[in-house]
């Protein structure tokens, strides 16, 4: 019997198992960066074989959880742009990004653990999130509600203060004020204002 191609899509049940593992891993790694893989497999309701077929080692799981969550944040931008005016879509997306950054502090610790080991994998970049920010900024610029020429790099420099907020304190009001200030700055000089 021939082996399936490496790029072949997963069967529906295999895809569901993989997504369930990722959801459980996100919750567990957020709580505890060194959560045992056996605990994650058990809570996901999959056997060790299924688990290790999907994620042969801790590094693979942690990096895939990070990519998966970043993709969820990125994908939210398109949905918001389809259902809201660009300026509102950008501001709501900023809240989602803040929620991801500040409620997933344990995941950041898990990523540091696996990427800091000698010979370990490199931390994946935020490419989908950068692209999502760019799409939101372009839509806002086209609508005349933000100043022209703001890049994704500019945007992430402006919101870098998010990563200075202590996620163990009441972070939402502080993050909201910071993001409101950033929005005010993006609006300054907009042609439609």
């Amino acid at each position: 019997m021939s082996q399936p191609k490496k790029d072949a899509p997963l069967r529906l049940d295999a895809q569901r198992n993989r997504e369930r593992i990722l959801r459980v891993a996100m919750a567990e790694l957020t709580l505890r960066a060194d959560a045992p893989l056996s605990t994650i497999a058990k809570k996901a309701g999959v056997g060790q074989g299924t688990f290790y077929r999907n994620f042969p080692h801790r590094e693979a799981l942690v990096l895939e959880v990070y990519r998966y969550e970043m993709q969820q944040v990125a994908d939210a931008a398109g949905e918001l742009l389809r259902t809201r005016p660009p300026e509102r879509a950008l501001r709501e997306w900023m809240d989602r990004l803040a929620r991801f950054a500040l409620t997933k502090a344990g995941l950041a610790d898990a990523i540091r653990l696996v990427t800091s080991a000698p010979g370990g994998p490199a931390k994946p970049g935020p490419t989908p999130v950068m692209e999502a920010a760019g799409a939101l900024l372009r839509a806002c610029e086209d609508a005349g509600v933000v100043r022209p020429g703001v890049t994704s790099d500019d945007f992430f420099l402006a919101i870098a203060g998010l990563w200075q907020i202590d996620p163990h304190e009441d972070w939402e009001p502080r993050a909201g004020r910071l993001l409101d200030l950033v929005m005010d700055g993006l609006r300054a000089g907009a042609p439609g204002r």
Side-chain angles (χ1 to χ4, degrees):
M1 180 175 226
S2 66
Q3 293 290 326
K5 288 184 179 180
K6 189 168 181 89
D7 295 339
L10 292 175
R11 291 184 337 254
L12 188 56
D13 62 327
Q15 182 63 35
R16 285 186 190 131
N17 285 340
R18 183 176 177 79
E19 288 175 6
R20 195 169 47 252
I21 292 167
L22 288 171
R23 281 193 305 275
V24 169
M26 169 53 76
E28 292 299 311
L29 292 170
T30 296
L31 293 173
R32 185 174 159 203
D34 62 348
L37 299 182
S38 59
T39 299
I40 294 169
K42 184 176 180 179
K43 287 186 176 185
V46 299
Q48 295 290 320
T50 297
F51 182 89
Y52 285 106
R53 211 172 12 262
N54 281 282
F55 304 103
H57 45 76
R58 174 175 292 279
E59 293 83 1
L61 175 65
V62 170
L63 294 176
E64 186 59 25
V65 165
Y66 176 79
R67 284 186 199 99
Y68 178 80
E69 284 298 306
M70 292 294 280
Q71 192 62 55
Q72 300 304 306
V73 172
D75 290 348
E79 178 61 27
L80 289 167
L81 279 172
R82 283 188 292 281
T83 60
R84 290 160 180 68
E87 185 176 8
R88 187 166 161 218
L90 174 60
R91 185 61 183 85
E92 286 185 30
W93 185 78
M94 290 164 70
D95 286 334
R96 290 182 188 207
L97 181 61
R99 195 172 312 110
F100 169 75
L102 293 162
T103 61
K104 308 302 184 200
L107 178 59
D109 292 340
I111 291 167
R112 273 191 290 282
L113 282 175
V114 302
T115 59
S116 65
K123 180 181 175 187
T127 302
V129 173
M130 293 289 280
E131 291 168 359
L136 286 158
L137 290 166
R138 282 189 303 279
C140 286
E141 185 176 335
D142 291 347
V145 296
V146 300
R147 68 186 326 139
V150 178
T151 67
S152 296
D153 286 335
D154 299 332
F155 172 79
F156 279 98
L157 283 172
I159 67 164
L162 281 176
W163 286 270
Q164 303 304 312
I165 297 172
D166 185 343
H168 305 292
E169 293 179 3
D170 186 20
W171 59 265
E172 289 182 86
R174 291 191 72 199
R177 283 192 305 275
L178 171 68
L179 297 177
D180 286 344
L181 287 169
V182 170
M183 281 302 296
D184 289 346
L186 290 170
R187 290 180 190 114
R193 295 269 167 212

